[in-house]
Amino acid sequence: MTISKIHSENKTIMALSGRLDTTTAPQLQEVLIPEFSKSKHIELDFSELSYVSSAGLRVLLMGEKAAKSSSGKLTLSNVSQEIKEVFDMTGFSDMLTVV
């Protein structure tokens, strides 16, 4: 998985490409969680993300908790239908903000 960051005045956009799975979830965690000390709004762009495993879901949940604890906001954009179905089946659609 590759992560590209774009900083703007009010938010950070992280474009993810590849697979968010057991192997790559720690990579996202290392980048995502500390970013809330720099930016209050983080958008994860999933347009090039093809898969999310349970390990990836765990990191997304950690990101949501980090956002709330820092009075920030985490949003997910360009989520594919396949990944939306995973969110729906696991109940993550109710916990995450998908735009």
Side-chain angles (χ1 to χ4, degrees):
M1 179 179 68
T2 59
I3 302 170
S4 303
K5 286 198 280 186
I6 301 168
H7 297 279
S8 71
E9 187 175 313
N10 296 324
K11 72 177 173 181
T12 299
I13 299 172
M14 294 184 184
L16 310 180
S17 64
R19 296 169 55 92
L20 180 54
D21 56 22
T22 304
T23 306
T24 59
Q27 176 188 358
L28 178 59
Q29 181 179 342
E30 287 177 13
V31 175
L32 177 61
I33 306 305
E35 192 67 29
F36 283 104
S37 66
K38 301 172 192 166
S39 181
K40 292 297 179 189
H41 181 191
I42 297 175
E43 176 183 327
L44 298 180
D45 182 350
F46 277 26
S47 58
E48 298 294 322
L49 194 69
S50 60
Y51 175 80
V52 176
S53 74
S54 59
L57 292 174
R58 183 182 66 78
V59 172
L60 294 175
L61 185 58
M62 291 173 66
E64 182 64 25
K65 288 181 180 179
K68 286 183 180 176
S69 69
S70 67
S71 299
K73 181 178 178 183
L74 176 66
T75 58
L76 311 178
S77 64
N78 302 309
V79 178
S80 70
Q81 187 60 40
E82 292 84 9
I83 294 175
K84 280 183 186 175
E85 288 174 8
V86 171
F87 290 166
D88 290 342
M89 288 188 302
T90 58
F92 274 67
S93 295
D94 298 329
M95 294 181 262
L96 301 172
T97 303
V98 179
V99 294

